[in-house]
Amino acid sequence: MKLQARTPKELGHAIRQARKTQSLTQKDLAIKSGVWQETISKIERGVVATKIETVFDLLAALDMELQIQPRTKVDEADLEEIF
Amino acid sequence: MKLQARTPKELGHAIRQARKTQSLTQKDLAIKSGVWQETISKIERGVVATKIETVFDLLAALDMELQIQPRTKVDEADLEEIF
DNA sequence: CAATTTTATGATTGAAAGATCATATGAACT
DNA sequence: AGTTCATATGATCTTTCAATCATAAAATTG
């Protein structure tokens, strides 16, 4: 599973998707990552521009990592809001 | 160019590398991204855990983007500090 | 090596994130 | 429908980041 992110909102969606793929609740992830469930809720919805450390905490708990790469062409379908 | 990052320090290195590849000074990047040169300096050295928005601003100015993916196996060489 | 450019550091200030708790809304199941 | 589990919201407080300016140190170049 590979997910692009260019905005806090997209990042939130990606994190949520990764979490769901692993059948974890926000509470589960909160315990694994040390990040509060309330905070996870906000991050997943993109209502806060979180600190990168928090992102790393979440990704580590999800066994994921960040990769930085050249911008890829944007697919038409991706321009529409997913949620 | 694809660069992994699991910590603020690694992320900083990745950003610095991307910047240098494009022959930009911190000042150049500051102007393009709207992020202060002093802040870029700190981020590249990993001395601050920046906000994700700032990272997105920098990456956008560098025409790069984030990808979230499953953790890859760690290469021995990558365990040593680069700087 | 002197001058210029680039990067780092240090201090202050205002804004914002995360912890924390309490509660509300929503979903899923019996 | 009522209960339980999951997610969202709202408020307060502490901590921390980015802007800002000034300057120092390091690197580059003439």
Side-chain angles (χ1 to χ4, degrees), chain B residues 35-53:
Chain B
V35 178
W36 245 240
Q37 176 267 316
E38 293 87 336
T39 301
I40 294 174
S41 168
K42 285 177 198 154
I43 291 170
E44 288 189 352
R45 284 171 298 129
V47 304
V48 284
T50 24
K51 285 188 245 162
I52 195 73
E53 281 227 308

Side-chain angles (χ1 to χ4, degrees), chain A residues 16 19 25-26 37-38 41 45:
Chain A
R16 171 165 292 183
R19 173 175 66 79
T25 65
Q26 290 182 350
Q37 176 266 317
E38 292 87 337
S41 168
R45 284 172 298 130

Side-chain angles (χ1 to χ4, degrees), chain B residues 48-72:
Chain B
V48 284
T50 24
K51 285 188 245 162
I52 195 73
E53 281 227 308
T54 307
V55 173
F56 284 129
D57 287 344
L58 293 176
L59 293 182
L62 291 166
D63 281 306
M64 313 271 301
E65 69 185 358
L66 283 189
Q67 190 172 49
I68 291 163
Q69 60 179 25
R71 240 164 205 263
T72 56

